[in-house]
Amino acid sequence: MMKKIVAIIKPFKLDAVKDHLHRVGVQGLTVTDVKGFGRQKGHKEMYRGAEYVIDFLPKVKLEILAPVDQTEAIVDAIMTEAHTGRIGDGKIFVMPADEIVRIRTGERGEDAV
């Protein structure tokens, strides 16, 4: 059984998270620049004397496929490196990955990761 781990983190934390994930044995991940908001609801900025609200804040989304027995180490690595203690640190989602297929070879399951 495999798990898909999705993490939304602050962009400046990406390198530290990536390095720690490499140390715990993660062989691959997908990174996407995203925008969004949670409890922090964006923030206000001034431009040429006018105040405006930035609703969507820049974030980074990480997607990782891993064996079940590696999941906790991955979650711990992300939490350790992405944590600042301030609002907007992000979220981690863990879900089952029922089927994985490597397109090039047709391998399935853990062999495809």
Side-chain angles (χ1 to χ4, degrees):
M1 183 66 148
M2 301 288 289
K3 294 287 186 175
K4 180 178 181 182
I5 301 155
V6 177
I8 309 295
I9 64 171
K10 292 181 176 183
F12 70 90
K13 289 295 198 168
L14 177 60
D15 286 335
V17 170
K18 177 187 61 91
D19 291 343
H20 198 150
L21 288 171
H22 182 70
R23 288 195 305 273
V24 297
V26 172
Q27 295 180 2
L29 70 139
T30 301
V31 177
T32 310
D33 289 320
V34 296
K35 292 181 180 183
F37 69 89
R39 290 184 181 163
Q40 64 194 116
K41 306 275 193 277
H43 63 276
K44 295 179 183 174
E45 288 192 5
M46 295 289 288
Y47 180 72
R48 294 187 179 185
E51 187 177 88
Y52 63 99
V53 176
I54 307 271
D55 289 333
F56 296 104
L57 300 173
K59 301 288 181 178
V60 174
K61 179 168 77 169
L62 308 174
E63 296 176 272
I64 304 161
L65 289 168
V68 171
D69 62 345
Q70 197 178 20
T71 302
E72 196 60 37
I74 291 169
V75 170
D76 288 344
I78 295 168
M79 285 179 56
T80 297
E81 298 300 336
H83 179 265
T84 66
R86 302 188 64 186
I87 194 164
D89 274 353
K91 298 270 191 301
I92 301 171
F93 308 95
V94 179
M95 57 205 86
D98 295 330
E99 184 73 25
I100 301 142
V101 180
R102 184 186 308 266
I103 294 171
R104 178 177 55 88
T105 63
E107 294 170 296
R108 293 178 178 267
E110 280 191 49
D111 293 335
V113 176

